[in-house]
């Protein structure tokens, strides 16, 4: 019982801020603190969300967005992690490419959206490609940083045991790099959704970004907020999934003690 009680108290504590936000959202329009035309009460948004679920619009648009987002995100992870490990391991290569990579990192993906549309059209290819571009750089730079900041003591100990390069990567570099790599992956996960939603507001016929834009254009404000809430929930769930995977891959680490 004490364990169950502690778990319940922890869950309640973490929920206080969310409950307070939803309560303020519900009461502020009803008491005239904000114009309910532009910010309807949360109950109306919840009702609109349920209607979108019932008629299938939310599922269809969410599926379209998730397929695009996960396709771009997965491609970025598959390319950037191995490339980052390679660049991080060979310091001369990292020093040579760093200025060019910094240029790409500091070029906002949304600023290049017109370029992607011009080169690849307004179809699926351009939307997935802009997600790949936006996600690749945080993953790549965090992977490079992870490899270059591995504890030198671990490397010396591994080399003293005459480990081959593949075994060194498997036993030392990769396990020590997991937390920093996943920091980049989690950043990319958030970026994949934000960039895609913005891209879907231009020339898309399905997706949560399209749903939000169309609702705003038709002045269906509760549906617009329902789409925004859905994106937030998906983002939080995706982040929690990545945290769980990171904990699984980092289970060998000794927890820090205070």
């Amino acid at each position: 019982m004490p364990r169950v009680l502690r778990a319940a108290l922890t869950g309640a504590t973490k929920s206080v801020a969310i409950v307070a936000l939803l309560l303020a959202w519900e009461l502020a329009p009803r008491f005239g603190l904000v114009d309910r035309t532009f910010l309807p009460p949360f109950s109306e948004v919840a009702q609109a969300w349920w209607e979108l679920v019932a008629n299938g619009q939310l599922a269809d648009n969410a599926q379209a967005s998730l397929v695009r987002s996960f396709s771009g995100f997965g491609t970025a992870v598959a390319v950037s992690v191995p490339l980052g490990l390679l660049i991080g391991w060979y310091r001369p290569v990292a020093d040579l490419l760093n200025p060019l990579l910094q240029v790409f990192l500091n070029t906002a993906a949304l600023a290049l959206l017109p370029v992607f549309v011009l080169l690849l059209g307004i179809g699926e290819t351009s939307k997935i490609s802009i997600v790949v571009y936006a996600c690749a750089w945080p993953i790549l730079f965090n992977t490079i940083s992870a490899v270059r900041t591995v504890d030198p003591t671990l490397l010396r100990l591994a080399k003293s045991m005459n480990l081959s390069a593949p075994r060194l990567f498997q036993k030392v570099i990769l396990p020590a790099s997991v937390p920093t790599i996943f920091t980049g992956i989690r950043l990319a996960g958030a970026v994949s959704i934000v960039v895609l939603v913005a891209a879907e507001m231009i020339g898309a016929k399905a997706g949560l970004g399209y749903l939000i834009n169309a609702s705003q254009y038709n002045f269906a404000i509760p549906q617009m907020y329902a789409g925004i809430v859905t994106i937030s929930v998906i983002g939080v769930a995706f982040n929690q999934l990545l945290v769980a995977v990171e904990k699984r891959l980092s289970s060998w680490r000794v927890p820090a003690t205070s």
Side-chain angles (χ1 to χ4, degrees):
M1 285 302 296
R3 182 179 300 178
V4 174
L5 182 60
R6 285 197 299 268
L9 289 175
T10 301
T13 302
K14 292 181 178 180
S15 303
V16 167
I18 299 297
V19 172
L21 173 64
L22 297 180
L23 184 62
W25 187 351
E26 177 69 26
L27 297 179
R30 294 190 180 279
F31 286 97
L33 300 178
V34 295
D35 190 340
R36 65 185 299 161
T37 303
F38 302 108
L39 182 64
F42 178 74
S43 57
E44 295 183 12
V45 175
Q47 181 180 355
W49 185 87
W50 180 250
E51 291 174 355
L52 290 172
V53 171
N55 61 30
Q57 290 187 56
L58 190 66
D60 293 340
N61 286 289
Q63 180 181 2
S65 291
L66 289 175
V67 169
R68 294 164 182 158
S69 181
F70 288 165
S71 297
F73 173 79
T75 302
V77 172
V79 172
S80 297
V81 171
L83 187 60
L85 292 172
L86 180 64
I87 294 174
W89 182 248
Y90 294 101
R91 186 174 294 271
V93 177
D95 294 337
L96 175 66
L97 296 179
N98 185 62
L100 180 62
L101 296 178
Q102 287 289 344
V103 171
F104 285 114
L105 176 66
N106 291 284
T107 302
L110 293 179
L112 295 177
L113 180 57
V115 178
F116 280 88
V117 172
L118 286 174
L119 295 177
L120 303 174
I122 61 174
E124 298 299 304
T125 303
S126 62
K127 294 177 178 58
I128 295 176
S129 297
I130 194 71
V131 173
V132 173
Y133 178 89
C135 293
W137 307 115
I139 299 174
L140 181 64
F141 273 89
N142 275 273
T143 304
I144 294 172
S145 175
V147 175
R148 298 185 67 171
T149 57
V150 172
D151 189 348
T153 303
L154 293 177
L155 294 177
R156 286 195 297 269
L157 288 173
K159 290 178 180 178
S160 69
M161 299 173 65
N162 296 320
L163 290 181
S164 62
R167 294 286 290 176
L168 182 65
F169 254 93
Q170 179 186 358
K171 295 297 184 180
V172 179
I173 302 297
L174 285 177
S177 301
V178 164
T180 305
I181 292 174
F182 261 87
T183 298
I185 290 176
R186 289 170 61 189
L187 289 172
V191 167
S192 69
I193 297 174
V194 172
V195 170
L196 177 63
V197 168
E200 286 177 341
M201 292 181 176
I202 302 176
K205 296 182 179 179
L208 292 173
Y210 165 78
L211 173 65
I212 293 170
N213 198 44
S215 299
Q216 186 269 339
Y217 182 79
N218 294 317
F219 212 71
I221 303 303
Q223 288 86 340
M224 182 188 76
Y225 282 106
I228 294 172
V229 169
T230 302
I231 292 171
S232 299
V233 172
I234 291 174
V236 171
F238 190 28
N239 182 71
Q240 291 302 311
L241 174 62
L242 293 176
V243 169
V245 174
E246 178 185 358
K247 288 181 178 179
R248 178 71 176 177
L249 295 177
S250 304
S251 58
W252 59 273
R253 295 173 64 89
V254 178
T257 57
S258 57

